[in-house]
Amino acid sequence: MAQKKKGLINRLLEGKERSEEYARSTLPTNRWQLFWDVFKGNFWKIVKANLLTILFMLPMIAVIVIINLMKGAQGEIYPFGANVGGGYPFYPAQQGMAESLNFNLNVFLYVGLIITSFIASVGLAGGMYVVRNMVWTEGIFVANDFWRGIKLNYKNALQTTLFFIIIFSVCGALISLADLTLATGIDKPVWMMISKVTSYIVIILAGLMSIWMIALGVNYKMSFFLLLRNSFLMTVGTFPQTIFFVALASIPFLLLLFGGFFTVLGVMLMLLFGFSYALLVWLDFAQWLFDKYINPRITGAKVGRGIYNKDGTSALTGDDSQASIEYEKSLLAYGRSRLIARPIKPIDDGMEVYDLPTSFTRDDLKKLRESKQTIVEDTEAYALEHKDEARYVEYNKQFDEREKALQDELDKNGKKKKRKPPKLLGQ
């Protein structure tokens, strides 16, 4: 009676949290829930990863701030508005002077960005690896994972950074040159306007492709040109979703554009978790698309990392994809209990293992082997004799039917012609 009371008290104190089904049901069931679960459960790790990332971003940030301060100082130093009204002293027309100075400063900016990109890529490589592991719901040791991410992803991060900065520099130079040409006067300015608009479009496209290159590069092994091609396809194929999630990930940085209180708030958020937050939003969304279109085609790739679905189907695809089927087959294999699926002979007092004496001989070892073999044969004979009993047949039937259906689906999928999928990046 006392034992029953103790068990009741334990259940009242501990509640249903001890139940395995309850523990599994508390896992996130979609990527939105996974984002919030990772963000609140790993907040200080996110902050640490963000600080490490910013540490290597500081030279690039310094270049951007210094050039912007120099541009702001131009309005105070140079008399760009001296010829538009009365005033003293009087300066001759300064047509195109502001655009010329701006062009020169932009050249220094682009050169500085290219040089500092080699350092910034170190932080990007480590940060995106740490955040990717968070999205995969793996155990995180920020410092160790950060340096491991540098070893695995620095090349990809540098390629991505240089790809965007070079395109940004070339297009930015064309925009500045068009502004200078328009300011100094031209008979047909329409071509300059077309050049400016085209350059802005190319910069936006390169930016979207670059963030897809980050997501693809931290998950799969690809050559640069294959990475470039796939990032373009992902950008074009998911353009509305890409724009939405880029805007969502950029919230801390967009606050910097509003000035005043919002600028202060944006700087605080950026220093606290801005870069890690942006990577978390983006890689979480990218993982959803990878699970839907890429991972089902890759042998060994896991679908729905960190996602729990109560109905047993893929929480992301909702269909019988290759990876989902393989995953369900493994669940079936683990779910079929050997204690229930086959007859097990009850303990028989007449069957026992030969007990070796303290000082044993070769004959004693032989008797030990024979006793073990006798028990094995007797157990197998019992299982063979009772295997057709209804309780074993019905139990195994439900597993056999589902496994057959899954195998048929796999065979059908295997007949479809598919491109060679990318390889998984080492973890």
Side-chain angles (χ1 to χ4, degrees):
M1 186 65 179
Q3 185 68 25
K4 291 183 178 179
K5 287 183 178 180
K6 183 178 178 181
L8 175 61
I9 292 173
N10 286 340
R11 288 195 296 272
L12 291 175
L13 290 175
E14 298 175 359
K16 61 182 179 179
E17 284 79 359
R18 294 188 66 186
S19 167
E20 180 182 356
E21 182 61 28
Y22 176 82
R24 293 182 64 199
S25 66
T26 58
L27 294 174
T29 57
N30 56 60
R31 288 292 165 185
W32 293 102
Q33 293 180 10
L34 178 63
F35 165 80
W36 178 243
D37 191 66
V38 171
F39 187 79
K40 68 179 181 180
N42 298 273
F43 180 76
W44 291 114
K45 292 181 179 180
I46 289 174
V47 172
K48 292 176 185 178
N50 187 73
L51 292 176
L52 286 173
T53 303
I54 288 181
L55 180 64
F56 295 94
M57 294 283 186
L58 286 177
M60 181 175 288
I61 295 174
V63 169
I64 296 173
V65 171
I66 291 172
I67 296 298
N68 282 332
L69 290 175
M70 293 177 66
K71 288 183 178 181
Q74 285 183 165
E76 301 293 333
I77 298 175
Y78 294 96
F80 298 130
N83 204 36
V84 296
Y88 182 85
F90 177 79
Y91 294 93
Q94 303 294 324
Q95 188 177 17
M97 183 178 180
E99 289 75 13
S100 177
L101 292 171
N102 187 65
F103 178 81
N104 292 333
L105 286 177
N106 282 342
V107 171
F108 285 107
L109 172 64
Y110 303 144
V111 173
L113 290 178
I114 292 174
I115 294 174
T116 55
S117 65
F118 288 87
I119 303 175
S121 298
V122 176
L124 179 61
M128 68 188 190
Y129 183 79
V130 171
V131 175
R132 185 211 67 175
N133 287 351
M134 291 182 183
V135 173
W136 283 7
T137 61
E138 295 186 353
I140 300 296
F141 296 93
V142 176
N144 291 340
D145 287 350
F146 190 87
W147 297 116
R148 177 171 170 77
I150 294 172
K151 294 178 182 178
L152 290 174
N153 299 297
Y154 178 73
K155 180 180 179 182
N156 165 253
L158 181 61
Q159 288 176 343
T160 301
T161 307
L162 288 177
F163 166 75
F164 174 72
I165 289 180
I166 290 174
I167 290 181
F168 175 78
S169 301
V170 172
C171 293
L174 291 175
I175 293 172
S176 298
L177 187 61
D179 288 336
L180 177 60
T181 305
L182 290 170
T184 53
I186 187 172
D187 294 335
K188 297 180 179 180
V190 64
W191 293 109
M192 294 296 100
M193 296 303 299
I194 292 176
S195 174
K196 288 184 63 176
V197 172
T198 303
S199 297
Y200 281 120
I201 293 175
V202 172
I203 289 175
I204 294 173
L205 179 62
L208 297 178
M209 289 177 60
S210 296
I211 58 178
W212 272 117
M213 290 171 69
I214 290 174
L216 288 166
V218 79
N219 282 275
Y220 309 105
K221 291 181 180 179
M222 299 182 186
S223 65
F224 175 72
F225 293 103
L226 183 59
L227 190 64
L228 205 62
R229 172 183 174 276
N230 288 339
S231 64
F232 176 78
L233 293 177
M234 296 297 287
T235 300
V236 174
T238 63
F239 190 76
Q241 298 96 321
T242 296
I243 294 296
F244 174 78
F245 282 99
V246 167
L248 190 63
S250 304
I251 289 177
F253 305 96
L254 294 177
L255 292 174
L256 300 174
L257 305 177
F258 292 96
F261 168 77
F262 293 101
T263 299
V264 176
L265 180 61
V267 171
M268 291 177 60
L269 294 179
M270 184 182 70
L271 293 176
L272 189 62
F273 56 76
F275 288 99
S276 295
Y277 162 81
L279 287 171
L280 179 59
V281 171
W282 181 250
L283 293 178
D284 188 33
F285 160 67
Q287 190 64 42
W288 174 74
L289 282 178
F290 296 159
D291 284 333
K292 191 172 184 180
Y293 297 111
I294 299 179
N295 289 339
R297 299 167 49 200
I298 302 177
T299 303
K302 296 180 180 180
V303 177
R305 288 174 179 263
I307 300 294
Y308 169 71
N309 197 9
K310 295 179 180 180
D311 60 9
T313 59
S314 172
L316 295 164
T317 62
D319 59 9
D320 291 332
S321 60
Q322 185 87 1
S324 299
I325 294 170
E326 293 285 3
Y327 180 66
E328 188 172 348
K329 284 189 70 177
S330 66
L331 286 181
L332 285 172
Y334 284 115
R336 191 196 298 252
S337 173
R338 295 184 61 187
L339 298 176
I340 305 175
R342 59 189 297 270
I344 298 179
K345 185 179 179 180
I347 297 176
D348 189 346
D349 293 336
M351 303 292 295
E352 59 181 19
V353 179
Y354 178 74
D355 190 13
L356 284 175
T358 304
S359 300
F360 55 87
T361 62
R362 188 180 299 274
D363 290 335
D364 292 323
L365 291 176
K366 182 179 179 181
K367 292 178 181 179
L368 175 62
R369 286 196 300 270
E370 290 175 350
S371 66
K372 289 182 178 180
Q373 184 63 29
T374 301
I375 293 175
V376 170
E377 292 175 354
D378 185 70
T379 302
E380 291 178 351
Y382 180 88
L384 185 63
E385 181 181 354
H386 295 82
K387 69 175 183 178
D388 294 329
E389 292 182 7
R391 55 176 174 171
Y392 304 117
V393 173
E394 292 298 326
Y395 179 80
N396 288 302
K397 182 179 179 181
Q398 58 182 333
F399 287 93
D400 294 336
E401 290 178 350
R402 186 54 184 157
E403 285 180 352
K404 185 178 183 302
L406 289 172
Q407 188 60 49
D408 292 342
E409 189 68 27
L410 284 173
D411 294 340
K412 184 174 69 173
N413 291 343
K415 294 179 181 179
K416 298 178 181 178
K417 185 178 181 181
K418 298 180 180 180
R419 294 178 179 176
K420 185 178 180 180
K423 297 180 180 179
L424 288 173
L425 185 68
Q427 301 178 24

